Amino acid sequence: MFVQAYQNINNGEAYWVTTDLFDTDNNDKIIEHWDVISAYKENPDTQRDQISGSTEPIDIDKTEDNKELVRNFLCDVMVLGRKESASRYVSFDNLAMHAALDVDPAENYVGSYDQVFKIVGQGNMVVAYSRLFYENTEIARFDIFRIDNKQIVEWWINQEPVPPKSEWVNGGKF
């Protein structure tokens, strides 16, 4: 199960975007959980705002094909750094990207993904949870992709730095 939520805490004391992924057993009991939490700041540019955009899954019959497209994109481009392969999956120039203001453009992260841990999806919406190393920082990151006509057309990013191991309160982010 996957959810991304906008949170207004204590009548505006804090605003957050929280992305959660839950694994369940055969009885639908939660057995594992991963999350990323980042501060939300309203962005008047709806192409960049963290919570805007179309999120209703369609094309349910294409779920597996869309997950495979995202898996291949992440492996070829974001892990292996094959920027020349990107156009098979996405047009960075025409991409609607939704991320916090401090997140660099998506193409800047080409080759910085260390490991893709989970990929889930429904129809044209596919979610990946990954570890990145970017500008000497380890990052936990959720990427949410909207697929149209075998191309990534919209991309939501929620990420946070992984704290030092001495600060972990459980097994860490991964």
Side-chain angles (χ1 to χ4, degrees), residues 14 30 35 59 137 153 164:
I30 295 172
D35 67 10
D59 300 327
T137 302
V153 296

Side-chain angles (χ1 to χ4, degrees), residues 77 82-92 151:
V77 179
R82 297 179 183 148
K83 193 169 189 171
E84 70 278 1
S85 298
S87 64
R88 293 195 324 228
Y89 310 102
V90 64
S91 169
F92 285 123
Q151 285 277 296

Side-chain angles (χ1 to χ4, degrees), residues 28-69:
D28 293 328
K29 302 285 185 195
I30 295 172
I31 57 173
E32 275 191 277
H33 168 250
W34 301 269
D35 67 10
V36 167
I37 302 169
S38 65
Y40 174 78
K41 292 187 180 171
E42 189 172 351
N43 186 338
D45 180 355
T46 59
Q47 291 292 313
R48 291 272 307 167
D49 190 78
Q50 292 166 270
I51 58 173
S52 63
S54 175
T55 58
E56 185 67 31
I58 60 171
D59 300 327
I60 304 304
D61 60 314
K62 296 178 182 172
T63 297
E64 293 307 315
D65 290 341
N66 289 333
K67 286 169 50 180
E68 184 67 20
L69 180 130

